[in-house]
């Protein structure tokens, strides 16, 4: 795992905070009171199915809707593959996303791929890092 950038040094504390942000986002994936707050107000999300959302409010609404549907039985785990700082206040985080689709496990089939590559663009806001972009691409 390469977490260095040849033009801007990554600060250990910033990298650790970004890793903690990723861990918190994974832990809060079914908590509509916590997960949206880990994202910037003007965020853009493109999910595994290609649905694009603009803004924290749209994300919170879509999340609340999903949690009342069978989508509530899908969990994901995230592994940080790389962190690159483009400026001291912006980083690109490359992740591997594994989907655990409990809706169809008994039948052994799912419409979703089990692995995706995910990119976060995170921005420093005060002392915190927030997710400004989350893009997931299926790996088939």
């Amino acid at each position: 795992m390469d977490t260095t950038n040849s033009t801007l040094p990554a600060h250990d504390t910033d990298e650790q905070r970004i890793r903690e942000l990723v861990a918190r986002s994974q832990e809060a994936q079914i908590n509509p009171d916590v997960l949206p707050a880990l994202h910037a107000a003007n965020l853009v999300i493109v999910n595994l199915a290609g649905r694009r959302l603009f803004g924290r409010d749209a994300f919170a609404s879509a999340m609340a809707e999903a949690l009342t549907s069978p989508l509530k039985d899908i969990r994901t785990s995230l592994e940080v593959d790389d962190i690159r700082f483009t400026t001291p206040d912006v980083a690109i985080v490359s992740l591997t996303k594994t989907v655990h689709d409990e809706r169809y496990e008994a039948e052994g089939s799912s419409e979703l791929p089990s692995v995706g590559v995910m990119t976060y663009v995170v921005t420093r806001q005060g002392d915190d890092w927030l997710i400004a972009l989350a893009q997931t691409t299926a790996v088939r």
Side-chain angles (χ1 to χ4, degrees), residues 27-37 63 67:
E27 291 167 9
Q29 64 187 288
I30 61 168
N31 188 333
D33 296 324
V34 175
L35 188 59
M63 182 179 182
L67 290 174

Side-chain angles (χ1 to χ4, degrees), residues 43-98:
L43 80 106
V44 176
I45 292 179
V46 182
N47 73 9
L48 192 60
R51 181 177 181 195
R52 187 173 8 205
L53 300 170
F54 297 99
R56 186 187 299 143
D57 291 341
F59 173 50
S61 177
M63 182 179 182
E65 181 181 323
L67 290 174
T68 63
S69 78
L71 294 175
K72 72 184 180 337
D73 295 324
I74 297 174
R75 302 289 183 273
T76 60
S77 55
L78 302 172
E79 179 182 336
V80 175
D81 299 317
D82 186 67
I83 299 173
R84 295 179 185 251
F85 290 84
T86 61
T87 73
D89 295 330
V90 177
I92 299 170
V93 184
S94 297
L95 306 128
T96 299
K97 181 177 192 170
T98 303

Side-chain angles (χ1 to χ4, degrees), residues 105-133:
E105 278 188 357
E107 299 162 24
S109 65
S110 174
E111 296 173 16
L112 294 173
S114 61
V115 178
V117 291
M118 183 174 214
T119 302
Y120 280 167
V121 174
V122 297
T123 59
R124 183 194 319 266
Q125 298 195 8
D127 290 334
D128 293 326
W129 287 89
L130 296 176
I131 301 163
L133 169 84

